[in-house]
Amino acid sequence: MRERFHERLDSFAGTLGTLCELSGTAMRLATAALLNTDLVLAEQVIDDVGRIDRLALECEENAFTLLALQAPVASELRQIVGGIHIVADLGRMGGLARHVAQVARRRHPDPVLPEEVRAEFAEMGRIAVAMAATAGDVLAGHDPERAAGLGVDDEAVDEMHGRLLVHIAGPDWDHGVQSAIDVTLLARYYERYADHAVQVGRRVVYLVTGLNPPADTRR
Amino acid sequence: MRERFHERLDSFAGTLGTLCELSGTAMRLATAALLNTDLVLAEQVIDDVGRIDRLALECEENAFTLLALQAPVASELRQIVGGIHIVADLGRMGGLARHVAQVARRRHPDPVLPEEVRAEFAEMGRIAVAMAATAGDVLAGHDPERAAGLGVDDEAVDEMHGRLLVHIAGPDWDHGVQSAIDVTLLARYYERYADHAVQVGRRVVYLVTGLNPPADTRR
């Protein structure tokens, strides 16, 4: 029974890795759909995230079964409870990628982004996807050092987000209010995505070290 | 030991109720700060939400202790795991109230809202606060019927949110882009707050009935 438990626990951890990968892919494709005004790709992302939702729910149920199956020892318990939080963050990352795809779909066949902010979004997308990959590595290797790098990337996204809002509100913006609304919300989605990736890293650090309870970045 | 466990479980449930109340109060005061351009109140909300964060973290630790203390039976286990999710939603509701207060503080002494959208935000705030109160009642009484009402309120907030975005992007908007950005983000905060209140209700329904696994409103 103990062996069966460990198999399940490994499978639970494996599914977290898969969810992380899927959330990264979803944001990569959503960003491509946004930049290339690609309706087919946007719709694919929206479908894909439906699968992420289902897998996240399944993963949550597995955590429950693990807790019910046999009283886990403290370190296993920490891993399962930490995993429950991580599933929530990864599911939300998928949801934010879906938001990006939805904006691209809503404006199609018009491009959402004015030329002058395309590079910023390409870069925010690149960093966000890299953060999901880092979070996946941290999850797989339980490597707290790499988790610190997530904080650096998050700051970069925050700065880009702040600069974008200043630019939109400034005198050079001549794309009207609808476009400003789209860009404001899109920038917010990337910023939140990065926040959740940081949270995943924090949770893993907490699992490994038991130190630094995960301060929530409720921004 | 079993008695001690139940005392702790009751105290855990009680703290969820307190968190719900605090998140409701935070949104009520944040909305007042926004509508009345009240800097002192805005700063009070920001402090108060710091306390919500700390209480949420404490609550999360208590859940862990409950799981570690003794292997809970299935219904208790469900209650604790459900509680972990509910804490996250309530903490996030507090965080969104803080966002509203932060926007009010950032623009002070200027009012954030143009006159023509004040009534909408007063109403969104009223419904959001009422939803927190309903969520608290549902939590306390485990009354699935009342949880359904949260869905109705959520739809009302979604509609107001949608109408606001259309209005801002329309030809009658003459308050510029900065104001449009503020209103866009604020409307989003209220909309997300309502989503999280719905999630709290869904979790309680799931606890009580074991049916309808909580579909996440990842919007």
Side-chain angles (χ1 to χ4, degrees):
Chain A
M1 182 163 173
R2 190 82 199 150
E3 197 175 318
R4 179 95 186 91
F5 174 81
H6 276 110
E7 268 171 35
R8 273 178 184 265
L9 189 57
D10 286 347
S11 144
F12 176 67
T15 313
L16 291 184
T18 305
L19 272 174
C20 199
E21 222 177 288
L22 292 175
S23 302
T25 303
M27 195 48 127
R28 183 169 56 75
L29 298 182
T31 305
L34 180 72
L35 292 171
N36 305 325
T37 319
D38 185 334
L39 181 63
V40 173
L41 192 56
E43 291 188 329
Q44 185 197 319
V45 172
I46 293 165
D47 279 356
D48 289 350
V49 175
R51 276 193 286 279
I52 294 180
D53 286 348
R54 287 190 292 279
L55 188 60
L57 197 58
E58 212 180 286
C59 202
E60 204 184 282
E61 280 159 10
N62 286 342
F64 187 82
T65 307
L66 278 165
L67 291 172
L69 201 65
Q70 85 178 78
V73 302
S75 68
E76 292 161 355
L77 186 58
R78 202 175 289 284
Q79 197 183 336
I80 299 165
V81 173
I84 291 175
H85 289 288
I86 289 170
V87 171
D89 281 307
L90 295 175
R92 188 67 202 140
M93 284 161 71
L96 289 160
R98 172 163 51 205
H99 283 341
V100 171
Q102 283 167 333
V103 177
R105 181 172 69 174
R106 195 176 308 134
R107 300 287 167 240
H108 193 271
D110 296 322
V112 181
L113 300 176
E115 192 58 36
E116 73 205 60
V117 297
R118 279 175 58 87
E120 271 87 351
F121 278 93
E123 180 63 3
M124 279 203 291
R126 192 193 62 75
I127 300 179
V129 172
M131 288 177 80
T134 305
D137 290 347
V138 170
L139 265 171
H142 288 238
D143 181 349
E145 293 294 319
R146 297 214 51 197
L150 287 169
V152 176
D153 283 342
D154 185 44
E155 274 177 35
V157 173
D158 282 352
E159 268 178 37
M160 263 185 284
H161 174 250
R163 274 205 309 272
L164 265 170
L165 292 195
V166 169
H167 173 67
I168 305 167
D172 296 339
W173 183 260
D174 55 6
H175 306 284
V177 175
Q178 179 63 67
S179 180
I181 295 173
D182 286 342
V183 171
T184 299
L185 288 175
L186 283 168
R188 171 105 186 128
Y189 301 149
Y190 284 95
E191 191 238 284
R192 290 295 300 158
Y193 185 99
D195 286 346
H196 286 286
V198 170
Q199 282 300 102
V200 171
R202 285 219 177 102
R203 289 278 169 193
V204 176
V205 171
Y206 184 55
L207 286 179
V208 175
T209 65
L211 289 171
N212 303 321
D216 213 329
T217 53
R218 295 201 172 103
R219 287 174 301 196
Chain B
M1 182 161 173
R2 190 82 200 149
E3 197 175 318
R4 180 94 186 91
F5 174 82
H6 276 111
E7 267 171 33
R8 273 177 184 265
L9 190 57
D10 286 348
S11 145
F12 175 67
T15 313
L16 291 183
T18 306
L19 271 174
C20 200
E21 221 177 290
L22 292 175
S23 301
T25 303
M27 196 46 128
R28 183 168 56 76
L29 298 182
T31 304
L34 180 72
L35 293 170
N36 304 325
T37 319
D38 186 335
L39 181 63
V40 174
L41 192 56
E43 291 187 329
Q44 185 197 317
V45 172
I46 293 164
D47 280 356
D48 289 350
V49 175
R51 275 193 287 278
I52 294 180
D53 286 348
R54 287 190 292 279
L55 188 60
L57 198 56
E58 213 180 286
C59 203
E60 205 184 282
E61 281 159 9
N62 285 342
F64 187 83
T65 307
L66 278 165
L67 291 172
L69 201 65
Q70 85 177 78
V73 301
S75 68
E76 292 161 354
L77 185 59
R78 202 176 288 283
Q79 197 182 337
I80 299 166
V81 173
I84 290 175
H85 289 288
I86 290 171
V87 171
D89 282 308
L90 295 174
R92 189 67 202 140
M93 284 161 72
L96 289 161
R98 171 163 53 206
H99 283 342
V100 171
Q102 282 168 333
V103 177
R105 180 171 70 175
R106 194 177 309 135
R107 299 288 166 241
H108 193 270
D110 296 323
V112 182
L113 300 175
E115 191 59 35
E116 73 205 59
V117 297
R118 280 175 58 87
E120 271 87 350
F121 278 93
E123 180 64 3
M124 278 203 292
R126 192 193 63 73
I127 299 179
V129 172
M131 288 177 81
T134 304
D137 290 347
V138 171
L139 265 170
H142 288 237
D143 181 349
E145 292 295 319
R146 297 213 53 198
L150 287 170
V152 177
D153 283 343
D154 185 44
E155 275 177 34
V157 172
D158 282 351
E159 268 179 37
M160 264 186 284
H161 174 251
R163 273 206 308 274
L164 265 170
L165 292 195
V166 169
H167 173 68
I168 305 168
D172 296 340
W173 183 261
D174 55 6
H175 305 283
V177 174
Q178 179 63 68
S179 179
I181 295 173
D182 286 342
V183 170
T184 299
L185 288 175
L186 283 168
R188 171 106 185 128
Y189 301 150
Y190 284 95
E191 192 239 283
R192 290 295 300 158
Y193 185 98
D195 286 345
H196 286 287
V198 170
Q199 281 300 101
V200 172
R202 285 219 177 102
R203 288 279 170 194
V204 176
V205 171
Y206 185 55
L207 286 179
V208 175
T209 65
L211 289 171
N212 303 322
D216 214 329
T217 53
R218 296 199 171 103
R219 286 175 301 199

